[in-house]
Amino acid sequence: MIRKSVIIIIIALLCLMAVRCRMVFLPNQEELIAEETKELIVVGFSQLGAESDWRSANTESMRSTFTEENGYQLIFEDGQQKQSNQIMAIRTFIQQDVDYIVLAPVTETGWDTVLQEAKDAEIPVIIVDRMVNVSDDSLFTCWVGSDFELEGKKAAEWLNQYTIKKGIDPASLHIVNIQGTIGASAQIGRTKGLADAARTNGWDLMAEATGDFTQAKGKEVMESLLKQYHNINVVYCENDNEALGAIKAIEAAGKKAGSDIARGEIMVISFDGVNQEALGYVLDDKITCIAECNPLHGPRVRAVIELLEEGKTPDKFSYVNEKIFSADETVTTLEVDGITCEVTILKENPSDRQEDRKEQ
Ligand code: GZL
Ligand code: ZN
């Protein structure tokens, strides 16, 4: 009799242990889901808008990098070119308690308050592309982007070398600058690059007017500049979309966009090198030179986040290397800020060139 009751007790104990084990070692459904989503690093990305091909490529680079299979959950907010929308997006990210905030700021100023809120919430903020101008650099963890003034210097030095090699009198250059969004780092740097070179080289920089980085505005501004000035022979466009618009206006006015200033062509210089039509225009000598602005920030931002995840400290500022494109072989190398950069002479179909642009 005792043996039977002992056996029953042992079986009962074993069942009890099995239940307890299941609770300890076999996670239940909620724990499994929590485990799954917990592993995803949540990134809130406030993109400034969708004004240009550059911007679309930049967005695509971020979306294709911060995927679930790469271990991320991306929350994307389009600011539609308004800082107020971007500030709202950052506040939402703070409420959602994301792991990282990435900000592509539409203009440089006005970020101190909301970045302080992110800092108080202990959420690291990574700035991409344009810069923020804040009272205290600790308000952002690091910045990944381009040296816009260097881009401007490169484009201006290309023009300087061109005039020297072609024997063009610098004073005979009558330039207009179709600027980007006023207050954006890309506009500030590219405008400064040209203005400094014009002063140094004795060029006639006649006008600066914003085309807001869009094709429509670029065309509109060029139309009015052509009415105001009859001697324009260089148009400096602060991105390719503006250049496409400007060329439409030049041709509508019965003039020709091209490098042959001496024969009355209007030389167009531009920035980005993302838009396929613009790259095609380089091959057709409608755009004479494009200073590259590389939009592929996704992998670089991911590298920064992975360093932070490992408790390491990324560089505060990391600049991307950028080329300068032309189909004209007059200028093959440039010396800017003590560095020599080779001009990439475009010959083949530009889409091949896109392939060889590695995601750095
Ligand atoms: C540059 C970026 C600029 C591009 C434009 O990094 O901020 O904004 O040059 C884009 O095409 O609109
Ligand atoms: Zn020509």
Side-chain angles (χ1 to χ4, degrees):
M1 218 18 212
I2 293 171
R3 266 178 56 75
K4 202 168 174 206
S5 56
V6 167
I7 289 167
I8 289 167
I9 289 166
I10 288 167
I11 291 168
L13 278 174
L14 282 174
C15 291
L16 192 66
M17 275 169 63
V19 168
R20 287 223 26 87
C21 282
R22 188 202 172 289
M23 280 159 72
V24 171
F25 297 112
L26 296 176
N28 59 29
Q29 199 55 23
E30 301 83 71
E31 280 162 345
L32 270 178
I33 293 170
E35 194 47 36
E36 267 310 295
T37 47
K38 191 172 71 61
E39 266 153 29
L40 293 181
I41 298 172
V42 184
V43 174
F45 176 38
S46 168
Q47 175 59 290
L48 66 89
E51 76 289 349
S52 68
D53 296 79
W54 189 97
R55 190 65 49 197
S56 313
N58 183 250
T59 292
E60 178 44 37
S61 176
M62 295 293 284
R63 284 189 188 283
S64 59
T65 300
F66 294 102
T67 57
E68 289 215 0
E69 46 268 37
N70 285 342
Y72 293 90
Q73 180 194 344
L74 179 69
I75 306 173
F76 177 86
E77 292 292 341
D78 176 346
Q80 287 154 5
Q81 308 290 112
K82 289 195 180 65
Q83 178 173 48
S84 54
N85 290 341
Q86 292 199 276
I87 289 172
M88 227 160 16
I90 293 171
R91 288 195 166 123
T92 309
F93 297 151
I94 293 170
Q95 279 158 12
Q96 291 167 312
D97 193 24
V98 299
D99 297 309
Y100 295 89
I101 290 172
V102 178
L103 168 65
V106 59
T107 49
E108 291 199 343
T109 54
W111 302 100
D112 292 68
T113 305
V114 76
L115 292 184
Q116 186 60 54
E117 291 166 24
K119 185 177 179 185
D120 295 344
E122 294 176 355
I123 300 176
V125 176
I126 298 162
I127 310 294
V128 289
D129 178 23
R130 303 173 188 176
M131 185 64 85
V132 291
N133 181 353
V134 288
S135 56
D136 168 4
D137 267 4
S138 73
L139 288 177
F140 62 95
T141 301
C142 59
W143 171 85
V144 175
S146 303
D147 182 339
F148 302 111
E149 189 176 336
L150 178 61
E151 290 175 354
K153 285 179 176 175
K154 280 191 217 171
E157 182 52 20
W158 184 93
L159 180 57
N160 182 41
Q161 290 303 318
Y162 185 83
T163 57
I164 293 168
K165 296 226 165 42
K166 291 283 187 182
I168 294 170
D169 171 10
S172 71
L173 291 190
H174 302 291
I175 305 171
V176 292
N177 175 1
I178 303 181
Q179 298 171 294
T181 305
I182 299 300
S185 317
Q187 175 272 309
I188 294 167
R190 292 169 189 165
T191 295
K192 186 173 185 311
L194 174 67
D196 291 351
R199 213 176 9 263
T200 307
N201 300 321
W203 300 337
D204 175 19
L205 175 55
M206 300 189 290
E208 297 173 336
T210 182
D212 222 7
F213 287 132
T214 66
Q215 181 165 333
K217 196 86 189 298
K219 178 171 182 286
E220 193 186 299
V221 167
M222 191 66 215
E223 281 162 356
S224 67
L225 289 168
L226 284 165
K227 290 192 184 90
Q228 276 178 272
Y229 304 95
H230 299 287
N231 58 345
I232 298 171
N233 53 18
V234 177
V235 183
Y236 181 96
C237 299
E238 292 188 356
N239 87 330
D240 290 339
N241 297 80
E242 292 177 346
L244 296 180
I247 289 168
K248 287 198 182 339
I250 287 168
E251 292 174 345
K255 295 177 181 263
K256 192 171 181 300
S259 55
D260 199 344
I261 294 175
R263 293 221 334 254
E265 291 181 356
I266 297 180
M267 178 185 282
V268 177
I269 293 174
S270 183
F271 292 82
D272 286 349
V274 171
N275 176 289
Q276 286 303 307
E277 194 180 355
L279 290 165
Y281 276 8
V282 173
L283 292 172
D284 299 343
D285 181 39
K286 282 189 176 183
I287 296 179
T288 304
C289 163
I290 294 182
E292 181 191 26
C293 184
N294 191 324
L296 307 179
H297 291 142
R300 291 184 207 101
V301 176
R302 182 180 176 189
V304 163
I305 287 177
E306 285 175 3
L307 279 175
L308 293 166
E309 284 290 297
E310 291 159 18
K312 294 185 182 135
T313 310
D315 292 342
K316 186 78 178 175
F317 301 96
S318 30
Y319 291 94
V320 297
N321 294 324
E322 295 172 328
K323 301 175 182 168
I324 185 156
F325 307 124
S326 179
D328 182 301
E329 306 200 46
T330 308
V331 182
T332 51
T333 63
L334 298 175
E335 186 81 24
V336 180
D337 287 350
I339 45 167
T340 305
C341 58
E342 300 298 315
V343 177
T344 302
I345 304 295
L346 288 187
K347 286 192 170 27
E348 80 289 5
N349 175 333
S351 57
D352 309 342
R353 200 193 54 74
Q354 281 287 323
E355 259 108 61
D356 77 20
R357 171 187 266 164
K358 288 181 285 305
E359 296 241 341
Q360 291 162 19

